[in-house]
């Protein structure tokens, strides 16, 4: 069956450092992969997407890589700030108008 | 347009009662999704609509769950004979196709939290 795995343990890092979150998947051939941010009690908010034929995407302090051979995406936040503390979800989609399947999310805590 | 709106935000009910949640999507979005999320887990797909047509429904969804989108605008999710295991956050999202990538980008509402006693 399809499986999307994110590190269930919280990631604690110091302000100013780079946070790296991992998303691994099995039994899936996604057309694209997306990252969302979720704050407590709120719905997820879209951050970035990367297509299967792209290796890397950047947006301000965010960078996403996508390795379809390893079936893995890495999500980096550089110069992290306490305001970046949240749960980050990866999501995979097989095509244009279909559902997204989400991972379990990784909670990031950035401390001063 | 203020985004995706969900009501009520919180619902506490007794086991066996019926509950209904409403979702008002972004007006330009023709696709609408319902997800369920429990603590520490990612959103779990329930069903989705393109305009008024329900195109997919999760096999995990029991007969007690029904969703409608009568005119291709707002949607309702009804849970009949609620059970304690139905306690969760019910998230609605609407989507458009990203022009650059052709990908389906979701805009979520704040969710409706259900507690079944």
């Amino acid at each position: 069956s399809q499986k999307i795995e994110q590190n269930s343990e919280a990631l604690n890092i110091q302000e100013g450092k780079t946070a790296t979150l991992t998303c691994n998947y099995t039994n899936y051939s996604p057309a694209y992969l997306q990252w969302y941010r979720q704050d407590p009690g709120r719905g997820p908010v879209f951050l970035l997407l990367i297509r299967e034929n792209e290796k890397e995407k950047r947006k301000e302090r965010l960078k996403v890589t996508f390795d379809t051979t390893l079936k893995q995406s890495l999500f980096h936040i550089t110069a992290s700030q306490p305001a970046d503390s949240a749960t980050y979800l990866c999501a995979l989609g097989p095509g244009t108008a279909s559902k997204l399947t989400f991972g379990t999310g990784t909670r990031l805590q950035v401390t001063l | 347009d203020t985004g995706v709106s969900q009501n009520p935000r919180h619902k506490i009910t007794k086991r066996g009662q019926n509950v209904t949640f409403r979702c008002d999507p972004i007006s330009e979005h023709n696709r609408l999704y319902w997800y369920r999320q429990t603590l520490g887990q990612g959103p779990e797909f329930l069903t989705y609509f393109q305009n008024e047509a329900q195109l997919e429904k999760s096999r995990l969804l029991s007969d007690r769950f029904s969703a409608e989108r009568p005119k291709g605008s707002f949607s309702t999710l009804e849970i009949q004979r609620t059970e304690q295991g139905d306690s969760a956050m019910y998230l609605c999202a609407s989507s458009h196709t990203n022009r650059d990538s052709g990908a389906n980008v979701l805009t979520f509402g704040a969710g409706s939290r259900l507690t079944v006693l």
Side-chain angles (χ1 to χ4, degrees):
Chain A
S1 62
Q2 297 171 347
K3 204 170 181 182
I4 302 170
E5 291 182 325
Q6 295 184 255
N7 193 340
S8 58
E9 292 184 12
L11 178 63
N12 294 294
I13 65 164
Q14 200 172 19
E15 183 180 22
K17 303 290 186 184
T18 296
T20 299
L21 286 71
T22 305
C23 176
N24 294 295
Y25 60 92
T26 55
N27 297 323
Y28 212 116
S29 296
Y32 55 86
L33 185 147
Q34 302 183 23
W35 284 88
Y36 288 74
R37 169 186 171 138
Q38 187 173 26
D39 292 289
R42 310 295 296 178
V45 174
F46 170 73
L47 295 175
L48 271 176
L49 74 85
I50 186 165
R51 293 159 67 178
E52 59 177 335
N53 60 351
E54 297 176 318
K55 296 290 185 187
E56 183 179 297
K57 230 18 178 337
R58 291 176 185 260
K59 180 183 176 182
E60 298 171 352
R61 295 185 295 112
L62 308 180
K63 184 178 88 170
V64 173
T65 63
F66 194 12
D67 189 325
T68 54
T69 302
L70 291 179
K71 295 187 184 295
Q72 181 182 77
S73 175
L74 300 178
F75 178 78
H76 306 272
I77 305 175
T78 58
S80 58
Q81 304 165 0
D84 296 326
S85 299
T87 295
Y88 291 86
L89 299 155
C90 72
L92 277 66
T96 303
S98 56
K99 70 186 185 194
L100 285 183
T101 302
F102 285 83
T104 53
T106 298
R107 190 164 63 86
L108 172 66
Q109 185 71 39
V110 182
T111 55
L112 296 171
Chain B
D1 195 353
T2 55
V4 178
S5 177
Q6 292 190 244
N7 289 289
R9 291 293 313 279
H10 303 275
K11 179 72 176 178
I12 300 174
T13 191
K14 291 183 179 178
R15 190 177 53 186
Q17 298 294 305
N18 299 344
V19 295
T20 299
F21 300 114
R22 176 180 169 123
C23 173
D24 288 90
I26 293 173
S27 54
E28 310 90 76
H29 291 180
N30 62 350
R31 292 191 290 276
L32 186 149
Y33 299 78
W34 286 99
Y35 284 81
R36 175 172 62 191
Q37 187 175 29
T38 53
L39 199 61
Q41 300 297 311
E44 175 189 29
F45 171 77
L46 294 178
T47 188
Y48 97 93
F49 294 83
Q50 179 143 328
N51 300 313
E52 64 274 11
Q54 188 172 17
L55 294 188
E56 189 173 346
K57 190 174 175 180
S58 169
R59 286 172 291 176
L60 302 174
L61 211 59
S62 79
D63 298 352
R64 298 183 297 104
F65 287 71
S66 62
E68 292 183 344
R69 195 182 182 197
K71 295 183 180 179
S73 56
F74 74 92
S75 175
T76 57
L77 176 69
E78 181 183 19
I79 309 173
Q80 296 182 328
R81 304 181 304 282
T82 53
E83 301 172 356
Q84 287 183 325
D86 297 331
S87 296
M89 175 77 90
Y90 289 85
L91 293 164
C92 175
S94 65
S95 77
H96 66 281
T97 299
N98 183 285
R99 288 184 181 179
D100 293 330
S101 67
N104 198 28
V105 175
L106 302 188
T107 302
F108 281 88
S112 293
R113 181 166 295 285
L114 173 65
T115 302
V116 182
L117 302 176

